[in-house]
């Protein structure tokens, strides 16, 4: 590709969607990528930049002058522009901002930089169509034409009073079907969902998906309309949230991708593995305390991995259901009810599994009492594992801690230890050692 | 609440958003729920119905006459209406459909019933605004006003030719800023993303979120515009997809919620637990083959839970990263490269963890050779676990099987068995037994 003439490359890429070009550029090295970006016009490259991987984007922006970066920013919506500015090295931010010709746009970007990335303010864009309640439909349409120039997609039209406070919204449909002399105050819908600038992104996502909204206005502490969040940004929030929970359940502690470096992947994976190692060492010490018993009943030893694995599996199942239920807001009733239900469920599962295990061990080893001891232990271990798996995430959630950390290795490790301890104590009791 | 007068209840609920009313109704019994639904007007109740839990909705619809159900359906968009009709008992479907007064609406619903639930056709709605390329802007606006009456939210305006084939789209913005005499064929945007009716929902979700679309037109095999899918339906698809992967990783085989019955939860959880039981039994049999060795080196026994747990943890981490990478389409390079990378990663993690374990065991038991045997085994087990965790999901994906089933209990169980086997073989070798 790199050997072809500029013109043919240009015409080739012109036809391709920017998200696809971004995928190609992610594969290239820094020089090739910069070359391509400079080849295309900023209308398209600005969109490409937002789609690139963070490290690739950093490399390209490092090769561009402040003026070139400013030109890209001018083509972008304020929210995407602010995200890119936030990634720039501190020393060139001021220079880049001062190179932006549209001063209104520059001001909006700077305003957005003030908000915490992890809040509604950090997600919102400044582009929106707003009308004053004291205008008539004709003025409104005129003003909207002007405003629409800067807005990629018109969602709702927001109605504000003369202090810029959000009063309601106007549907495009109503505007298409109302006479031009009507006053806005007569036709607008006074009820409109909105979120506060300080709201958490996950909460905004919940509200928007619960009420099926495509855009939501953002208001500040005194009710003034300061921006709007669109559903495409929320789709990203939902995906990130799901990815994060999935990774926590799998024992990966940072946001990593398969293509990150071995070093990044190690840093994300090692902490939980070390936790598992400590857990295993603790289990070894506990088992060491029962060494005498094992010399006499070696068969008990053979089932420790089974007991530990079942304790881990049941614990992960229980905690996953609770964590998911909490994320989707459909955990009802008290913690007590929830625990009783989980105990009954564990008892049912435990009895079925223990019956199978009893049969297997009895046939294999021909010793009913030992088989019974192992099976009874299994029931007890499953009930305790279910209890821990249910209680810990509910407890963390009540304390305001993300319950997702209590899935995966955390539950597996603690259940391994408890499971083995319970197993030995019960076996000792049943066998009368 | 139920003792209050109808009127006060009515006025109370009128103020509340339908999604919130649905949450309240989910908590009531069948009779109370039906009473409330009959109390409110169908404008609101139809929306409430779509938000209810499936079993609650079934109960309420069972208490309504065909005519009442038909009235609810008339208020709904065709996609939601078709979903509800699909849930009705076969014998009353025809009666309900014949009671719908708007024949056009009834026809659209019946059309939608033909599509597979798990396809773009099953997600789409018939409501859309389309204009012919040979109209002028004035005709277009007039037609749009009529069409907009039936469409809750106007997204894009689609342009079709005289055979109803999709040609492109018209942005609302352009329509607001173009003179009324212009021909549509001169102003429309000839490039528009679309999906085939047979496309999988996950693919539609990927396309829409990659290109940041809020609605996408659906075309049939010969390119005719048959419907459109909106982003709110896609948000549900993305959530369900994420929930499903999460549950598979946690060993839950069906779509269950924390509030389902104990019986449903058992059926979803027991299969993977039984798999785990078989795995544990297999591990016990393997360990049984090494009984002699353990009588002499009891200390080796103490570390089997640790080895099994580490094998499980590493396997789950590796497979989770692969499954997530496949879901997000960012796995690049060949399977061979991927495996080599994972081996290096496992080696790095393994050496760090083994060093810690060596130190611990040496200090605890004072026997360097045994400690060395255990630590070397740990490295080998981690490498094999990483290999299995990487290879199995990639292999399943190549075969067209959902790689998500290869996470959680599947990986944990198989790694337990392999881990223990490798552990004993290496220990035997190092200790020269």
């Amino acid at each position: 590709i790199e050997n072809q003439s500029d013109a043919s490359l240009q015409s080739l890429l012109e036809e391709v969607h920017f998200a696809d070009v971004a995928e190609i550029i992610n594969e290239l090295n820094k020089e090739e990528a910069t070359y391509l970006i400079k080849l295309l016009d900023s209308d398209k490259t600005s969109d490409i930049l937002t789609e690139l991987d963070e490290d690739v984007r950093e490399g390209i922006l490092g090769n561009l002058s402040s003026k070139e970066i400013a030109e890209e920013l001018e083509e972008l919506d304020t929210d995407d522009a602010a995200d890119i500015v936030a990634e720039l090295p501190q020393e060139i931010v001021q220079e880049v901002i001062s190179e932006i010709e549209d001063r209104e746009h520059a001001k909006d970007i700077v305003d957005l930089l003030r908000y915490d990335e992890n809040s509604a303010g950090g997600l919102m864009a400044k582009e929106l169509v707003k009308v004053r309640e004291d205008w008539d439909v004709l003025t409104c349409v005129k003003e909207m034409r002007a405003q629409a120039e800067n807005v990629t997609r018109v969602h709702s039209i927001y109605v504000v009073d003369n202090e810029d406070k959000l009063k309601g919204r106007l549907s495009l449909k109503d505007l298409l079907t109302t006479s031009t002399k009507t006053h806005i105050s007569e036709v607008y819908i006074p009820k409109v969902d909105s979120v506060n600038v300080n709201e958490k992104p996950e909460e905004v996502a919940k509200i928007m998906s619960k009420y099926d909204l495509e855009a939501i206005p953002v208001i500040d502490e005194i009710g003034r309309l300061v921006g709007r969040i669109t559903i495409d940004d929320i789709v990203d929030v939902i995906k990130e949230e799901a990815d994060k929970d999935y990774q926590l359940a799998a024992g990966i502690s940072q946001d990593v991708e398969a293509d990150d470096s071995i070093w990044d992947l190690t840093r994300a994976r090692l902490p939980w593995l070390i936790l598992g190692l400590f857990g295993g060492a603790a289990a070894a010490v506990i088992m060491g305390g029962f060494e005498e018993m094992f010399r006499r009943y070696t068969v008990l030893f053979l089932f420790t991995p089974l007991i530990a694995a079942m304790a881990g599996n049941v614990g992960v199942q229980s905690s996953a259901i609770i964590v998911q239920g909490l994320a989707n807001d459909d955990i009802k009733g008290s913690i007590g009810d929830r625990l009783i239900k989980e105990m009954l469920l564990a008892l049912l599962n435990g009895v079925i599994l223990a019956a199978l295990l009893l049969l297997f061990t009895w046939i294999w080893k021909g010793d009913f009492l030992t088989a019974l001891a192992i099976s009874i232990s299994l029931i007890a271990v499953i009930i305790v594992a279910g209890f821990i798996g249910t209680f810990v995430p509910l407890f963390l959630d009540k304390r305001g801690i993300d319950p997702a950390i209590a899935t995966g290795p955390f539950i597996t490790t603690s259940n391994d230890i408890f499971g083995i301890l319970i197993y030995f104590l019960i076996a000792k009791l049943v066998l009368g050692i």
Side-chain angles (χ1 to χ4, degrees), chain A:
Chain A
I1 288 185
E2 293 307 321
N3 291 331
Q4 277 188 292
S5 71
D6 288 5
S8 68
L9 206 57
Q10 220 164 357
S11 67
L12 189 72
L13 289 174
E14 211 123 277
E15 293 299 305
V16 185
H17 191 283
F18 63 83
D20 298 313
V21 181
E23 272 186 9
I24 297 169
I25 289 181
N26 275 334
E27 299 297 296
L28 301 175
N29 66 38
K30 215 167 89 174
E31 277 63 41
E32 291 170 334
T34 314
Y35 165 76
L36 264 191
I37 288 286
K38 289 196 175 177
L39 199 60
L40 299 167
D41 57 344
S42 68
D43 186 16
K44 193 161 198 169
T45 52
S46 58
D47 287 329
I48 296 174
L49 280 176
T50 63
E51 296 283 327
L52 287 176
D53 285 349
E54 204 173 312
D55 41 341
V56 177
R57 180 168 50 233
E58 203 180 304
I60 294 175
L61 291 178
N63 282 346
L64 296 181
S65 70
S66 296
K67 196 170 166 52
E68 284 167 321
I69 298 176
E71 276 164 19
E72 303 288 353
L73 294 181
E74 267 185 274
E75 294 294 329
L76 285 175
D77 278 354
T78 45
D79 55 342
D80 295 326
D83 288 345
I84 289 185
V85 172
E87 282 173 22
L88 289 175
Q90 204 52 49
E91 57 273 20
I92 70 162
V93 166
Q94 214 181 328
E95 202 183 318
V96 168
I97 296 283
S98 67
E99 290 280 1
I100 297 178
E101 276 173 30
D102 180 347
R103 293 321 294 161
E104 201 57 40
H105 194 62
K107 222 184 77 200
D108 285 344
I109 295 174
V110 173
D111 280 349
L112 287 180
L113 287 177
R114 279 190 301 122
Y115 296 102
D116 179 9
E117 203 191 333
N118 197 29
S119 73
L123 278 179
M124 72 185 184
K126 285 286 185 178
E127 286 85 0
L128 50 80
V129 178
K130 67 178 175 190
V131 297
R132 287 263 297 274
E133 56 177 340
D134 49 3
W135 292 348
D136 60 23
V137 170
L138 192 68
T139 324
C140 181
V141 170
K142 263 191 222 154
E143 287 285 338
M144 275 174 56
R145 283 193 186 213
Q147 294 181 20
E149 290 292 324
N150 296 318
V151 181
T152 324
R153 290 175 211 157
V154 179
H155 292 90
S156 295
I157 304 147
Y158 301 115
V159 181
V160 294
D161 66 9
N162 53 8
E163 281 184 316
D164 226 19
K165 284 188 185 155
L166 181 66
K167 303 294 285 183
R169 67 188 168 84
L170 197 62
S171 81
L172 271 170
K173 208 171 101 183
D174 288 343
L175 206 72
L176 280 172
T177 51
T178 312
S179 105
T180 51
K181 278 164 203 156
T182 324
H183 253 245
I184 297 298
S185 53
E186 292 165 38
V187 290
Y188 83 85
I189 304 152
K191 266 204 323 205
V192 59
D193 295 294
S194 64
V195 291
N196 189 282
V197 274
N198 301 313
E199 193 65 88
K200 283 232 165 80
E202 304 93 81
E203 281 305 311
V204 181
K206 268 188 203 168
I207 293 168
M208 290 186 73
S209 69
K210 180 172 173 191
Y211 299 135
D212 282 351
L213 305 174
E214 301 195 340
I216 197 165
V218 181
I219 56 173
D220 69 5
E221 287 79 356
I222 56 168
R224 284 178 309 185
L225 179 64
V226 289
R228 64 108 179 80
I229 297 174
T230 50
I231 187 78
D232 53 316
D233 295 321
I234 289 303
V235 168
D236 295 339
V237 170
I238 291 173
K239 275 189 173 173
E240 275 166 29
E241 200 57 20
D243 280 0
K244 205 185 71 189
D245 281 0
Y246 188 77
Q247 294 192 326
L248 277 172
I252 303 164
S253 57
Q254 282 167 48
D255 184 25
V256 286
E257 278 159 28
D259 281 308
D260 286 346
S261 72
I262 290 187
W263 178 238
D264 283 342
L265 286 167
T266 301
R267 272 199 310 181
R269 292 169 58 164
L270 204 53
W272 285 116
L273 292 179
I274 290 178
L275 176 76
L277 194 73
F278 283 139
V285 173
I286 290 173
M287 287 169 73
F290 293 87
E291 252 188 80
E292 270 321 298
M293 182 169 99
F294 287 116
R295 287 189 199 279
R296 286 171 54 198
Y297 292 89
T298 322
V299 61
L300 287 182
F301 242 145
L302 305 182
F303 288 93
T304 39
L306 183 145
I307 297 283
M310 296 308 282
N313 286 345
V314 169
V316 169
Q317 285 184 339
S318 305
S319 65
I321 288 185
I322 296 294
V323 167
Q324 206 164 56
L326 288 170
N328 296 336
D329 263 347
D330 47 39
I331 298 284
K332 289 146 200 162
S334 69
I335 291 194
D337 291 349
R338 178 68 41 197
L339 286 175
I340 290 170
K341 184 175 179 184
E342 182 64 33
M343 298 300 93
L344 287 173
L345 182 65
L347 186 67
L348 180 60
N349 280 333
V351 168
I352 297 172
L353 294 166
L356 288 171
L357 185 64
L358 180 70
L359 217 64
F360 168 78
T361 319
W362 192 13
I363 293 170
W364 185 35
K365 290 289 172 186
D367 177 355
F368 183 75
L369 194 66
T370 313
L372 189 70
I374 295 170
S375 300
I376 290 177
S377 306
L378 182 64
I379 298 178
V381 165
I382 287 178
I383 291 177
V384 173
F387 181 86
I388 296 175
T390 308
F391 180 75
V392 175
L394 284 174
F395 175 78
L396 290 181
D397 188 59
K398 278 254 185 281
R399 285 289 175 112
I401 303 169
D402 183 359
I405 63 160
T407 50
F410 178 85
I411 285 290
T412 320
T413 305
S414 53
N415 279 354
D416 274 8
I417 300 175
F418 281 115
I420 290 173
L421 189 61
I422 292 165
Y423 172 47
F424 293 160
L425 290 175
I426 290 184
K428 217 171 157 175
L429 213 71
V430 173
L431 296 173
I433 313 168

